[in-house]
Amino acid sequence: MTAWKTKGGPALPRLALASAPAPTDEALCQAFLEGDEAAFGTLVERYRTLVLSLVRRFAPRPEDAADLAQQAFLRALEASGRVFSRWKWTSPTPFRAWLVRIALNLAKNHARQGHRWRPALLTEVEHATTDPRESPQELLERQERDRHLRAAVLALPRRQREVLTLRVDGGLPFRDIAEMLGITENNAKVQFHHAVKRLKAEVAGAPEEERG
């Protein structure tokens, strides 16, 4: 134990200050129901990165992804009073799963409306933040590869894309993915396996029949 020295007096022991544990989702939801609006802001900060990562797979531009993420939180806020009051507080709060479903539904609707990735533009190259060792040609090639992969993700069957997004971007275990999508855990693993196989074949330029 370290000590503080006081002027002209004996050293006083320094007590270790334990940081208070972060409030659970359940505590924040209950606090919001009781009128603490800042509690919902804490939930937004907690899941901002997750939601943005999820919708990014379905949005053509970073600003579109940011807008979708904002819409997801706004919809959650609008429905929160009604939804929170129905939850059973004797079990863990399903806030994360509920928020993920909102975000995925918004993102899927966005993708169904015909939004697709744009071709490479010279203006994007001029304003891109890159490795100074990367030549303009290398930058163009890398951006094109990225767009090709994102387009391949969008072309996946719906269920495969959902499982891939939740697993890779959301970092969720297959058990949680299965619960969110209403499928078995084994089915979630199978969907993920097929999605990865198709993407690898797409990137490698394999024939369509090998992408199964």
Side-chain angles (χ1 to χ4, degrees), residues 93-146:
T93 303
F95 179 82
R96 184 178 69 166
W98 175 66
L99 179 63
V100 164
R101 282 196 293 271
I102 292 175
L104 278 181
N105 286 335
L106 278 171
K108 287 187 292 184
N109 289 338
H110 180 81
R112 278 197 294 265
Q113 290 169 1
H115 299 282
R116 288 297 180 265
W117 302 100
R118 300 176 298 168
L121 300 175
L122 290 178
T123 52
E124 293 181 356
V125 177
E126 293 171 356
H127 295 91
T129 301
T130 64
D131 187 329
R133 295 168 298 180
E134 190 174 39
S135 70
Q137 179 62 33
E138 290 170 333
L139 170 60
L140 278 171
E141 292 174 353
R142 178 173 59 79
Q143 289 184 330
E144 191 57 36
R145 287 195 301 271
D146 291 344

Side-chain angles (χ1 to χ4, degrees), residues 4-12:
W4 288 311
K5 290 185 177 180
T6 59
K7 187 175 181 179
L12 299 177

Side-chain angles (χ1 to χ4, degrees), residues 38-102:
F40 194 87
T42 302
L43 288 167
V44 171
E45 290 303 315
R46 178 171 294 177
Y47 291 110
R48 185 190 303 276
T49 300
L50 170 62
V51 170
L52 188 59
S53 296
L54 292 173
V55 300
R56 189 181 297 148
R57 290 290 186 186
F58 299 82
R61 298 175 297 177
E63 54 265 38
D64 292 333
D67 183 61
L68 283 170
Q70 183 178 20
Q71 288 184 48
F73 284 116
L74 286 174
R75 290 202 180 184
L77 177 61
E78 291 170 357
S80 57
R82 181 179 69 257
V83 174
F84 290 1
S85 62
R86 294 203 306 260
W87 284 344
K88 297 178 180 178
W89 301 104
T90 55
S91 58
T93 303
F95 179 82
R96 184 178 69 166
W98 175 66
L99 179 63
V100 164
R101 282 196 293 271
I102 292 175

